[in-house]
Amino acid sequence: MIDSHAHLDFSEFDHDRGELFQQMRAQGIEQVVIPGVSEDKWENQIRIAKQFDCPFSLGIHPWFCDSMTAQTLPNLREWLLGSQQDAKLVAIGECGLDKLHKSNFATQLSVFRAQILLAEEFELPLIIHCVKSHEEMLNLLKGSGNTRKGVIHGFYGGPELASRYIQLGYKLGIGGLLLNENAHKLQRTVAELPLSAFVLETDSPAMRPKNSDNDRNSPLILPLLLKKMASLQKKTNVLVSEQLYLNVSQLFDL
């Protein structure tokens, strides 16, 4: 199994990160993609990714757009140039649009557009955060020349919206929300659409399932997600596991 999206560089994991990686390997979780969120975190993020041999991406999350300086986007390009020969740099992101967040939406749009151009320039897929902004997002992606496409992270919509992203060539990141009893739309999406459309993720330490006893989410819930997806798809765990592994490996060229 591969967790396609977990912020294991965050401080919530500082006290037991090494132990967690041991537990993950014992459960068959081979790799974790660690996404970037803001300039002040990139250095530590890359240090931890290298320490634990994890693929990573670099980007500016919409929640952090308002704290940017005029130098942040040029600096992102410099970081990408510096990491270009590193096989562990696998994507641009986490970036995107979020109308529920207080940061200025016009700023979010311009920062996301800039990161689409970086994805085109460096020929990397996008890791996309999208909340209450799907029409704007779909229009931007339709007009993009990004051949590597990417993933709509933390997807929680219904089959119709999911199909529009899939038709554009994007994967859907399915996480802990799938385990919530009231996630009817998302469960219908997973049941009805082809398995080739999905990648597994946790968004750790966030997005923990409602019935979780833990204070934080972690990649250790991946076997539960896999089992739930197999049940919804009416396929064996092994078949689902193999297809999801293939999906994420192809997406990020792992």
Side-chain angles (χ1 to χ4, degrees):
M1 285 173 286
I2 297 174
D3 189 338
S4 68
H5 192 120
H7 300 280
L8 297 189
D9 57 312
F10 283 13
S11 60
E12 286 91 336
F13 299 102
D14 284 352
H15 68 287
D16 68 343
R17 192 175 284 113
E19 189 186 328
L20 177 62
F21 270 91
Q22 285 180 341
Q23 292 174 314
M24 283 157 48
R25 295 209 165 97
Q27 285 202 19
I29 300 161
E30 274 184 23
Q31 293 196 71
V32 175
V33 179
I34 302 180
V37 292
S38 66
E39 184 175 11
D40 62 333
K41 290 182 166 60
W42 294 335
E43 190 171 352
N44 183 56
Q45 176 206 347
I46 292 175
R47 182 183 65 78
I48 286 167
K50 288 189 184 306
Q51 182 184 349
F52 292 96
D53 200 27
C54 290
F56 66 92
S57 66
L58 290 171
I60 302 155
H61 191 293
W63 294 3
F64 294 90
C65 286
D66 284 353
S67 58
M68 285 171 51
T69 68
Q71 202 51 41
T72 300
L73 279 166
N75 286 349
L76 174 57
R77 190 171 180 277
E78 288 303 310
W79 276 95
L80 291 165
L81 281 169
S83 302
Q84 203 170 11
Q85 302 310 314
D86 189 340
K88 294 291 182 183
L89 172 68
V90 297
I92 307 281
E94 176 180 354
C95 54
L97 303 173
D98 191 331
K99 280 188 179 169
L100 283 187
H101 196 261
K102 62 184 184 300
S103 55
N104 184 281
F105 193 68
T107 305
Q108 288 185 33
L109 279 165
S110 67
V111 174
F112 181 55
R113 283 193 188 103
Q115 290 178 94
I116 292 177
L117 293 176
L118 287 171
E120 292 173 14
E121 179 185 349
F122 288 92
E123 296 183 339
L124 288 168
L126 288 158
I127 295 177
I128 296 170
H129 172 107
C130 187
V131 176
K132 302 292 184 192
S133 321
H134 290 291
E135 291 307 320
E136 292 90 342
M137 178 60 68
L138 284 157
N139 284 331
L140 284 167
L141 296 181
K142 272 177 202 162
S144 159
N146 173 26
T147 54
R148 291 287 306 279
K149 305 302 182 179
V151 57
I152 311 302
H153 137 70
F155 187 80
Y156 57 92
E160 188 183 329
L161 178 62
S163 297
R164 293 172 72 189
Y165 282 115
I166 294 164
Q167 282 162 13
L168 290 177
Y170 287 79
K171 302 283 186 206
L172 306 173
I174 306 297
L177 299 179
L178 185 70
L179 301 175
N180 295 341
E181 284 179 16
N182 62 347
H184 305 302
K185 269 198 308 188
L186 180 56
Q187 289 175 4
R188 214 168 77 242
T189 294
V190 170
E192 293 177 13
L193 295 180
L195 201 51
S196 57
F198 305 116
V199 294
L200 281 182
E201 62 160 68
T202 63
D203 198 22
S204 304
M207 226 182 271
R208 65 189 174 98
K210 284 180 182 171
N211 60 358
S212 172
D213 296 329
N214 300 313
D215 293 337
R216 65 172 191 198
N217 198 9
S218 89
L220 298 175
I221 71 162
L222 284 183
L224 294 175
L225 283 172
L226 186 66
K227 190 177 171 188
K228 184 67 175 177
M229 289 186 83
S231 162
L232 289 164
Q233 284 261 332
K234 296 183 170 55
K235 293 184 172 78
T236 66
N237 283 16
V238 172
L239 191 149
V240 172
S241 174
E242 286 175 351
Q243 181 66 55
L244 292 172
Y245 190 90
L246 182 68
N247 294 349
V248 72
S249 300
Q250 288 178 337
L251 173 64
F252 292 126
D253 201 12
L254 298 176

